[in-house]
Amino acid sequence: MKTIGLLGGMSWESTITYYQQINKQINEALGGLHSAQILLASLDFEAIEACQKNNEWEKSGEILAGYAQSLERAGADFLLICTNTMHKVAPQIQQAISIPIIHIADATVTDLQAKQIKKVALLGTTYTMTQDFYKQRVIDQGIDVLIPDEAAVSELNRIIFDELCHGVIKETSKATFLHAIQDLQKHGAEGVILGCTEIGLLIEQSDVDLPVFDTTLIHAKAAVELALS
């Protein structure tokens, strides 16, 4: 079994899901008392979020690259960045290490293609929804990406940072996400990407008519497949 390096803490709420899902799936595959070989670097998210706000992406990349190098030195065979937004600096992190990074958007595209999705709704932070570092990787594979209107983008971003990153789950916020999904469905969305690792704390497949692509679960599954390959 390969050793999985997790670059987590962004937020720690969703890193818990990564740890649970990877270990659960390893045990289901191998049985007995088997669990995953994981090395976890859990960052102080306050410092990273400050970089996001101040548009200091290179600085945030340097911080994450330092932790990634520590995971490589400790014996990780490959790396997961346990957040969608910080894949903006994935190329910078990859340049600093020799082990591969499983890109969360690429893993998601594989699942979208398996379900033959041609047009998908993308929900996440403002950065993920409006910038190209994530969307373009999906578009480049022939899948159209739809995002909510400006007001909805702002409100979804607020819910993620002010509530979900703190483990706060509100029915009103769930209704806001569901309304955004329904609106994008009217515009032709055939599925919905939960493109922030915290959204799965709020929205499940049973809540939505469309196929739901929870990036945290997809990313964890890709890690297990590589670890056991």
PDB file of all heavy atoms in Angstrom, residues 10-11 45 48-50 52-53 57 83 85 124-127 154-167 177 196 198:
ATOM      1  N   MET A  10      -7.819  22.994   5.718  1.00  0.00           N
ATOM      2  CA  MET A  10      -8.343  24.140   4.951  1.00  0.00           C
ATOM      3  C   MET A  10      -9.752  23.849   4.410  1.00  0.00           C
ATOM      4  O   MET A  10      -9.943  23.721   3.217  1.00  0.00           O
ATOM      5  CB  MET A  10      -7.372  24.467   3.800  1.00  0.00           C
ATOM      6  CG  MET A  10      -5.978  24.812   4.257  1.00  0.00           C
ATOM      7  SD  MET A  10      -4.790  24.876   2.894  1.00  0.00           S
ATOM      8  CE  MET A  10      -4.490  23.145   2.567  1.00  0.00           C
ATOM      9  N   SER A  11     -10.738  23.688   5.277  1.00  0.00           N
ATOM     10  CA  SER A  11     -10.714  23.743   6.725  1.00  0.00           C
ATOM     11  C   SER A  11     -10.558  22.348   7.325  1.00  0.00           C
ATOM     12  O   SER A  11     -10.703  21.349   6.632  1.00  0.00           O
ATOM     13  CB  SER A  11     -12.019  24.353   7.235  1.00  0.00           C
ATOM     14  OG  SER A  11     -13.109  23.437   7.028  1.00  0.00           O
ATOM     15  N   PHE A  45      -5.443  27.562   8.963  1.00  0.00           N
ATOM     16  CA  PHE A  45      -6.191  28.109   7.827  1.00  0.00           C
ATOM     17  C   PHE A  45      -6.246  29.632   7.849  1.00  0.00           C
ATOM     18  O   PHE A  45      -6.392  30.271   6.807  1.00  0.00           O
ATOM     19  CB  PHE A  45      -7.602  27.506   7.813  1.00  0.00           C
ATOM     20  CG  PHE A  45      -8.373  27.763   6.549  1.00  0.00           C
ATOM     21  CD1 PHE A  45      -7.741  27.993   5.343  1.00  0.00           C
ATOM     22  CD2 PHE A  45      -9.764  27.755   6.563  1.00  0.00           C
ATOM     23  CE1 PHE A  45      -8.459  28.215   4.166  1.00  0.00           C
ATOM     24  CE2 PHE A  45     -10.493  27.980   5.400  1.00  0.00           C
ATOM     25  CZ  PHE A  45      -9.842  28.216   4.203  1.00  0.00           C
ATOM     26  N   ILE A  48      -3.689  31.083   5.569  1.00  0.00           N
ATOM     27  CA  ILE A  48      -3.980  30.840   4.154  1.00  0.00           C
ATOM     28  C   ILE A  48      -5.137  31.722   3.691  1.00  0.00           C
ATOM     29  O   ILE A  48      -5.095  32.309   2.596  1.00  0.00           O
ATOM     30  CB  ILE A  48      -4.318  29.354   3.915  1.00  0.00           C
ATOM     31  CG1 ILE A  48      -3.134  28.459   4.328  1.00  0.00           C
ATOM     32  CG2 ILE A  48      -4.717  29.106   2.460  1.00  0.00           C
ATOM     33  CD1 ILE A  48      -1.848  28.734   3.591  1.00  0.00           C
ATOM     34  N   GLU A  49      -6.165  31.831   4.515  1.00  0.00           N
ATOM     35  CA  GLU A  49      -7.325  32.647   4.143  1.00  0.00           C
ATOM     36  C   GLU A  49      -6.940  34.123   4.023  1.00  0.00           C
ATOM     37  O   GLU A  49      -7.467  34.849   3.171  1.00  0.00           O
ATOM     38  CB  GLU A  49      -8.440  32.451   5.184  1.00  0.00           C
ATOM     39  CG  GLU A  49      -9.820  32.871   4.716  1.00  0.00           C
ATOM     40  CD  GLU A  49     -10.178  34.295   5.128  1.00  0.00           C
ATOM     41  OE1 GLU A  49      -9.531  34.821   6.048  1.00  0.00           O
ATOM     42  OE2 GLU A  49     -11.107  34.868   4.517  1.00  0.00           O
ATOM     43  N   ALA A  50      -6.002  34.578   4.851  1.00  0.00           N
ATOM     44  CA  ALA A  50      -5.509  35.952   4.749  1.00  0.00           C
ATOM     45  C   ALA A  50      -4.824  36.170   3.409  1.00  0.00           C
ATOM     46  O   ALA A  50      -4.996  37.217   2.768  1.00  0.00           O
ATOM     47  CB  ALA A  50      -4.557  36.252   5.903  1.00  0.00           C
ATOM     48  N   GLN A  52      -5.528  34.565   0.666  1.00  0.00           N
ATOM     49  CA  GLN A  52      -6.601  34.592  -0.328  1.00  0.00           C
ATOM     50  C   GLN A  52      -7.204  35.994  -0.419  1.00  0.00           C
ATOM     51  O   GLN A  52      -7.347  36.557  -1.509  1.00  0.00           O
ATOM     52  CB  GLN A  52      -7.694  33.572   0.035  1.00  0.00           C
ATOM     53  CG  GLN A  52      -7.267  32.120  -0.068  1.00  0.00           C
ATOM     54  CD  GLN A  52      -8.342  31.168   0.419  1.00  0.00           C
ATOM     55  OE1 GLN A  52      -9.362  31.582   0.976  1.00  0.00           O
ATOM     56  NE2 GLN A  52      -8.141  29.883   0.207  1.00  0.00           N
ATOM     57  N   LYS A  53      -7.564  36.547   0.734  1.00  0.00           N
ATOM     58  CA  LYS A  53      -8.191  37.870   0.786  1.00  0.00           C
ATOM     59  C   LYS A  53      -7.294  38.953   0.190  1.00  0.00           C
ATOM     60  O   LYS A  53      -7.772  39.880  -0.465  1.00  0.00           O
ATOM     61  CB  LYS A  53      -8.530  38.242   2.241  1.00  0.00           C
ATOM     62  CG  LYS A  53      -9.844  37.699   2.749  1.00  0.00           C
ATOM     63  CD  LYS A  53     -10.124  38.259   4.137  1.00  0.00           C
ATOM     64  CE  LYS A  53     -11.475  37.786   4.658  1.00  0.00           C
ATOM     65  NZ  LYS A  53     -11.702  38.262   6.049  1.00  0.00           N
ATOM     66  N   TRP A  57      -1.380  34.972  -3.624  1.00  0.00           N
ATOM     67  CA  TRP A  57      -1.432  33.549  -3.954  1.00  0.00           C
ATOM     68  C   TRP A  57      -0.037  32.925  -3.960  1.00  0.00           C
ATOM     69  O   TRP A  57       0.136  31.770  -3.535  1.00  0.00           O
ATOM     70  CB  TRP A  57      -2.140  33.352  -5.291  1.00  0.00           C
ATOM     71  CG  TRP A  57      -3.580  33.741  -5.222  1.00  0.00           C
ATOM     72  CD1 TRP A  57      -4.148  34.911  -5.635  1.00  0.00           C
ATOM     73  CD2 TRP A  57      -4.649  32.959  -4.662  1.00  0.00           C
ATOM     74  NE1 TRP A  57      -5.499  34.910  -5.379  1.00  0.00           N
ATOM     75  CE2 TRP A  57      -5.832  33.727  -4.785  1.00  0.00           C
ATOM     76  CE3 TRP A  57      -4.722  31.694  -4.079  1.00  0.00           C
ATOM     77  CZ2 TRP A  57      -7.074  33.267  -4.344  1.00  0.00           C
ATOM     78  CZ3 TRP A  57      -5.952  31.223  -3.632  1.00  0.00           C
ATOM     79  CH2 TRP A  57      -7.122  32.015  -3.759  1.00  0.00           C
ATOM     80  N   THR A  83      -8.510  20.728  -0.457  1.00  0.00           N
ATOM     81  CA  THR A  83      -9.315  21.927  -0.652  1.00  0.00           C
ATOM     82  C   THR A  83      -9.346  22.208  -2.144  1.00  0.00           C
ATOM     83  O   THR A  83      -8.332  22.023  -2.825  1.00  0.00           O
ATOM     84  CB  THR A  83      -8.718  23.141   0.092  1.00  0.00           C
ATOM     85  OG1 THR A  83      -9.159  24.358  -0.519  1.00  0.00           O
ATOM     86  CG2 THR A  83      -7.193  23.140   0.046  1.00  0.00           C
ATOM     87  N   THR A  85     -10.120  25.303  -3.557  1.00  0.00           N
ATOM     88  CA  THR A  85      -9.623  26.648  -3.848  1.00  0.00           C
ATOM     89  C   THR A  85      -8.107  26.694  -3.968  1.00  0.00           C
ATOM     90  O   THR A  85      -7.560  27.344  -4.870  1.00  0.00           O
ATOM     91  CB  THR A  85     -10.086  27.640  -2.763  1.00  0.00           C
ATOM     92  OG1 THR A  85     -11.516  27.698  -2.758  1.00  0.00           O
ATOM     93  CG2 THR A  85      -9.530  29.031  -3.011  1.00  0.00           C
ATOM     94  N   GLY A 124     -18.965  26.627  -5.179  1.00  0.00           N
ATOM     95  CA  GLY A 124     -17.741  26.641  -4.385  1.00  0.00           C
ATOM     96  C   GLY A 124     -17.492  28.023  -3.833  1.00  0.00           C
ATOM     97  O   GLY A 124     -18.418  28.838  -3.708  1.00  0.00           O
ATOM     98  N   THR A 125     -16.235  28.303  -3.523  1.00  0.00           N
ATOM     99  CA  THR A 125     -15.885  29.661  -3.098  1.00  0.00           C
ATOM    100  C   THR A 125     -15.938  30.588  -4.312  1.00  0.00           C
ATOM    101  O   THR A 125     -15.975  30.140  -5.457  1.00  0.00           O
ATOM    102  CB  THR A 125     -14.466  29.711  -2.509  1.00  0.00           C
ATOM    103  OG1 THR A 125     -13.519  29.368  -3.531  1.00  0.00           O
ATOM    104  CG2 THR A 125     -14.311  28.745  -1.331  1.00  0.00           C
ATOM    105  N   THR A 126     -15.924  31.871  -4.053  1.00  0.00           N
ATOM    106  CA  THR A 126     -15.888  32.848  -5.142  1.00  0.00           C
ATOM    107  C   THR A 126     -14.713  32.571  -6.076  1.00  0.00           C
ATOM    108  O   THR A 126     -14.855  32.636  -7.304  1.00  0.00           O
ATOM    109  CB  THR A 126     -15.764  34.280  -4.579  1.00  0.00           C
ATOM    110  OG1 THR A 126     -16.920  34.566  -3.781  1.00  0.00           O
ATOM    111  CG2 THR A 126     -15.659  35.310  -5.687  1.00  0.00           C
ATOM    112  N   TYR A 127     -13.567  32.230  -5.494  1.00  0.00           N
ATOM    113  CA  TYR A 127     -12.360  31.980  -6.297  1.00  0.00           C
ATOM    114  C   TYR A 127     -12.589  30.803  -7.256  1.00  0.00           C
ATOM    115  O   TYR A 127     -12.281  30.880  -8.444  1.00  0.00           O
ATOM    116  CB  TYR A 127     -11.166  31.680  -5.385  1.00  0.00           C
ATOM    117  CG  TYR A 127     -11.003  32.643  -4.242  1.00  0.00           C
ATOM    118  CD1 TYR A 127     -11.286  32.263  -2.926  1.00  0.00           C
ATOM    119  CD2 TYR A 127     -10.573  33.955  -4.455  1.00  0.00           C
ATOM    120  CE1 TYR A 127     -11.143  33.147  -1.862  1.00  0.00           C
ATOM    121  CE2 TYR A 127     -10.425  34.848  -3.402  1.00  0.00           C
ATOM    122  CZ  TYR A 127     -10.718  34.437  -2.108  1.00  0.00           C
ATOM    123  OH  TYR A 127     -10.593  35.321  -1.059  1.00  0.00           O
ATOM    124  N   SER A 154     -21.713  35.444  -4.135  1.00  0.00           N
ATOM    125  CA  SER A 154     -21.303  36.113  -2.907  1.00  0.00           C
ATOM    126  C   SER A 154     -21.890  35.442  -1.673  1.00  0.00           C
ATOM    127  O   SER A 154     -21.196  35.231  -0.665  1.00  0.00           O
ATOM    128  CB  SER A 154     -21.723  37.586  -2.965  1.00  0.00           C
ATOM    129  OG  SER A 154     -21.376  38.248  -1.775  1.00  0.00           O
ATOM    130  N   GLU A 155     -23.164  35.073  -1.739  1.00  0.00           N
ATOM    131  CA  GLU A 155     -23.830  34.464  -0.579  1.00  0.00           C
ATOM    132  C   GLU A 155     -23.313  33.044  -0.321  1.00  0.00           C
ATOM    133  O   GLU A 155     -23.106  32.653   0.830  1.00  0.00           O
ATOM    134  CB  GLU A 155     -25.345  34.458  -0.789  1.00  0.00           C
ATOM    135  CG  GLU A 155     -26.146  33.821   0.342  1.00  0.00           C
ATOM    136  CD  GLU A 155     -25.957  34.477   1.703  1.00  0.00           C
ATOM    137  OE1 GLU A 155     -25.342  35.570   1.792  1.00  0.00           O
ATOM    138  OE2 GLU A 155     -26.426  33.898   2.698  1.00  0.00           O
ATOM    139  N   LEU A 156     -23.082  32.274  -1.369  1.00  0.00           N
ATOM    140  CA  LEU A 156     -22.549  30.923  -1.181  1.00  0.00           C
ATOM    141  C   LEU A 156     -21.152  30.990  -0.565  1.00  0.00           C
ATOM    142  O   LEU A 156     -20.820  30.190   0.324  1.00  0.00           O
ATOM    143  CB  LEU A 156     -22.501  30.170  -2.510  1.00  0.00           C
ATOM    144  CG  LEU A 156     -23.831  29.918  -3.227  1.00  0.00           C
ATOM    145  CD1 LEU A 156     -23.608  29.085  -4.477  1.00  0.00           C
ATOM    146  CD2 LEU A 156     -24.846  29.248  -2.317  1.00  0.00           C
ATOM    147  N   ASN A 157     -20.365  31.940  -1.017  1.00  0.00           N
ATOM    148  CA  ASN A 157     -19.024  32.130  -0.462  1.00  0.00           C
ATOM    149  C   ASN A 157     -19.097  32.481   1.023  1.00  0.00           C
ATOM    150  O   ASN A 157     -18.328  31.954   1.845  1.00  0.00           O
ATOM    151  CB  ASN A 157     -18.296  33.227  -1.230  1.00  0.00           C
ATOM    152  CG  ASN A 157     -16.842  33.367  -0.828  1.00  0.00           C
ATOM    153  OD1 ASN A 157     -15.996  32.564  -1.194  1.00  0.00           O
ATOM    154  ND2 ASN A 157     -16.536  34.416  -0.067  1.00  0.00           N
ATOM    155  N   ARG A 158     -20.046  33.357   1.381  1.00  0.00           N
ATOM    156  CA  ARG A 158     -20.214  33.742   2.793  1.00  0.00           C
ATOM    157  C   ARG A 158     -20.565  32.536   3.642  1.00  0.00           C
ATOM    158  O   ARG A 158     -20.010  32.340   4.738  1.00  0.00           O
ATOM    159  CB  ARG A 158     -21.313  34.802   2.923  1.00  0.00           C
ATOM    160  CG  ARG A 158     -21.468  35.348   4.347  1.00  0.00           C
ATOM    161  CD  ARG A 158     -22.815  36.017   4.565  1.00  0.00           C
ATOM    162  NE  ARG A 158     -23.924  35.064   4.477  1.00  0.00           N
ATOM    163  CZ  ARG A 158     -24.238  34.201   5.436  1.00  0.00           C
ATOM    164  NH1 ARG A 158     -23.528  34.130   6.560  1.00  0.00           N
ATOM    165  NH2 ARG A 158     -25.276  33.387   5.283  1.00  0.00           N
ATOM    166  N   ILE A 159     -21.489  31.714   3.155  1.00  0.00           N
ATOM    167  CA  ILE A 159     -21.915  30.531   3.906  1.00  0.00           C
ATOM    168  C   ILE A 159     -20.730  29.585   4.131  1.00  0.00           C
ATOM    169  O   ILE A 159     -20.547  29.052   5.232  1.00  0.00           O
ATOM    170  CB  ILE A 159     -23.053  29.807   3.163  1.00  0.00           C
ATOM    171  CG1 ILE A 159     -24.326  30.658   3.192  1.00  0.00           C
ATOM    172  CG2 ILE A 159     -23.322  28.426   3.782  1.00  0.00           C
ATOM    173  CD1 ILE A 159     -25.422  30.168   2.255  1.00  0.00           C
ATOM    174  N   ILE A 160     -19.918  29.412   3.110  1.00  0.00           N
ATOM    175  CA  ILE A 160     -18.763  28.513   3.232  1.00  0.00           C
ATOM    176  C   ILE A 160     -17.813  28.995   4.329  1.00  0.00           C
ATOM    177  O   ILE A 160     -17.441  28.231   5.228  1.00  0.00           O
ATOM    178  CB  ILE A 160     -18.021  28.398   1.885  1.00  0.00           C
ATOM    179  CG1 ILE A 160     -18.868  27.591   0.890  1.00  0.00           C
ATOM    180  CG2 ILE A 160     -16.651  27.736   2.075  1.00  0.00           C
ATOM    181  CD1 ILE A 160     -18.386  27.684  -0.550  1.00  0.00           C
ATOM    182  N   PHE A 161     -17.424  30.276   4.278  1.00  0.00           N
ATOM    183  CA  PHE A 161     -16.406  30.770   5.208  1.00  0.00           C
ATOM    184  C   PHE A 161     -16.958  31.078   6.598  1.00  0.00           C
ATOM    185  O   PHE A 161     -16.289  30.807   7.603  1.00  0.00           O
ATOM    186  CB  PHE A 161     -15.714  32.008   4.624  1.00  0.00           C
ATOM    187  CG  PHE A 161     -14.685  31.678   3.576  1.00  0.00           C
ATOM    188  CD1 PHE A 161     -14.982  31.824   2.229  1.00  0.00           C
ATOM    189  CD2 PHE A 161     -13.433  31.213   3.932  1.00  0.00           C
ATOM    190  CE1 PHE A 161     -14.041  31.517   1.250  1.00  0.00           C
ATOM    191  CE2 PHE A 161     -12.486  30.898   2.961  1.00  0.00           C
ATOM    192  CZ  PHE A 161     -12.788  31.044   1.623  1.00  0.00           C
ATOM    193  N   ASP A 162     -18.172  31.618   6.665  1.00  0.00           N
ATOM    194  CA  ASP A 162     -18.717  32.041   7.957  1.00  0.00           C
ATOM    195  C   ASP A 162     -19.420  30.914   8.702  1.00  0.00           C
ATOM    196  O   ASP A 162     -19.573  30.983   9.929  1.00  0.00           O
ATOM    197  CB  ASP A 162     -19.713  33.199   7.770  1.00  0.00           C
ATOM    198  CG  ASP A 162     -19.045  34.481   7.302  1.00  0.00           C
ATOM    199  OD1 ASP A 162     -17.797  34.498   7.236  1.00  0.00           O
ATOM    200  OD2 ASP A 162     -19.759  35.451   6.995  1.00  0.00           O
ATOM    201  N   GLU A 163     -19.862  29.890   7.985  1.00  0.00           N
ATOM    202  CA  GLU A 163     -20.629  28.813   8.621  1.00  0.00           C
ATOM    203  C   GLU A 163     -19.958  27.442   8.481  1.00  0.00           C
ATOM    204  O   GLU A 163     -19.558  26.837   9.457  1.00  0.00           O
ATOM    205  CB  GLU A 163     -22.052  28.770   8.041  1.00  0.00           C
ATOM    206  CG  GLU A 163     -22.841  30.051   8.306  1.00  0.00           C
ATOM    207  CD  GLU A 163     -24.204  30.065   7.618  1.00  0.00           C
ATOM    208  OE1 GLU A 163     -24.700  28.987   7.220  1.00  0.00           O
ATOM    209  OE2 GLU A 163     -24.775  31.167   7.468  1.00  0.00           O
ATOM    210  N   LEU A 164     -19.822  26.956   7.252  1.00  0.00           N
ATOM    211  CA  LEU A 164     -19.379  25.580   7.051  1.00  0.00           C
ATOM    212  C   LEU A 164     -17.963  25.325   7.561  1.00  0.00           C
ATOM    213  O   LEU A 164     -17.680  24.263   8.126  1.00  0.00           O
ATOM    214  CB  LEU A 164     -19.484  25.195   5.572  1.00  0.00           C
ATOM    215  CG  LEU A 164     -20.892  25.245   4.965  1.00  0.00           C
ATOM    216  CD1 LEU A 164     -20.863  24.802   3.507  1.00  0.00           C
ATOM    217  CD2 LEU A 164     -21.867  24.390   5.763  1.00  0.00           C
ATOM    218  N   CYS A 165     -17.073  26.298   7.378  1.00  0.00           N
ATOM    219  CA  CYS A 165     -15.704  26.142   7.878  1.00  0.00           C
ATOM    220  C   CYS A 165     -15.656  26.082   9.406  1.00  0.00           C
ATOM    221  O   CYS A 165     -14.656  25.647   9.984  1.00  0.00           O
ATOM    222  CB  CYS A 165     -14.811  27.280   7.375  1.00  0.00           C
ATOM    223  SG  CYS A 165     -14.352  27.123   5.637  1.00  0.00           S
ATOM    224  N   HIS A 166     -16.741  26.508  10.048  1.00  0.00           N
ATOM    225  CA  HIS A 166     -16.852  26.441  11.508  1.00  0.00           C
ATOM    226  C   HIS A 166     -17.742  25.284  11.953  1.00  0.00           C
ATOM    227  O   HIS A 166     -18.068  25.158  13.137  1.00  0.00           O
ATOM    228  CB  HIS A 166     -17.411  27.760  12.052  1.00  0.00           C
ATOM    229  CG  HIS A 166     -16.540  28.948  11.790  1.00  0.00           C
ATOM    230  ND1 HIS A 166     -15.415  29.234  12.534  1.00  0.00           N
ATOM    231  CD2 HIS A 166     -16.606  29.917  10.834  1.00  0.00           C
ATOM    232  CE1 HIS A 166     -14.838  30.330  12.060  1.00  0.00           C
ATOM    233  NE2 HIS A 166     -15.535  30.757  11.030  1.00  0.00           N
ATOM    234  N   GLY A 167     -18.178  24.454  10.996  1.00  0.00           N
ATOM    235  CA  GLY A 167     -19.040  23.328  11.336  1.00  0.00           C
ATOM    236  C   GLY A 167     -20.474  23.723  11.630  1.00  0.00           C
ATOM    237  O   GLY A 167     -21.228  22.937  12.208  1.00  0.00           O
ATOM    238  N   PHE A 177     -28.345  27.012  -1.099  1.00  0.00           N
ATOM    239  CA  PHE A 177     -27.600  26.168  -2.041  1.00  0.00           C
ATOM    240  C   PHE A 177     -28.545  25.428  -2.984  1.00  0.00           C
ATOM    241  O   PHE A 177     -28.291  25.348  -4.198  1.00  0.00           O
ATOM    242  CB  PHE A 177     -26.726  25.173  -1.280  1.00  0.00           C
ATOM    243  CG  PHE A 177     -25.345  25.673  -0.993  1.00  0.00           C
ATOM    244  CD1 PHE A 177     -25.084  26.425   0.153  1.00  0.00           C
ATOM    245  CD2 PHE A 177     -24.294  25.416  -1.856  1.00  0.00           C
ATOM    246  CE1 PHE A 177     -23.813  26.896   0.425  1.00  0.00           C
ATOM    247  CE2 PHE A 177     -23.021  25.881  -1.602  1.00  0.00           C
ATOM    248  CZ  PHE A 177     -22.780  26.629  -0.462  1.00  0.00           C
ATOM    249  N   CYS A 196     -16.376  22.740  -3.310  1.00  0.00           N
ATOM    250  CA  CYS A 196     -15.702  23.180  -2.098  1.00  0.00           C
ATOM    251  C   CYS A 196     -15.812  22.005  -1.145  1.00  0.00           C
ATOM    252  O   CYS A 196     -16.882  21.399  -1.030  1.00  0.00           O
ATOM    253  CB  CYS A 196     -16.373  24.421  -1.512  1.00  0.00           C
ATOM    254  SG  CYS A 196     -15.743  24.870   0.120  1.00  0.00           S
ATOM    255  N   GLU A 198     -16.171  21.668   1.856  1.00  0.00           N
ATOM    256  CA  GLU A 198     -17.126  21.767   2.972  1.00  0.00           C
ATOM    257  C   GLU A 198     -18.591  21.585   2.554  1.00  0.00           C
ATOM    258  O   GLU A 198     -19.442  21.332   3.408  1.00  0.00           O
ATOM    259  CB  GLU A 198     -16.997  23.123   3.683  1.00  0.00           C
ATOM    260  CG  GLU A 198     -15.819  23.251   4.632  1.00  0.00           C
ATOM    261  CD  GLU A 198     -14.522  23.503   3.902  1.00  0.00           C
ATOM    262  OE1 GLU A 198     -14.552  24.116   2.818  1.00  0.00           O
ATOM    263  OE2 GLU A 198     -13.481  23.080   4.407  1.00  0.00           O
TER     264      GLU A 198
END
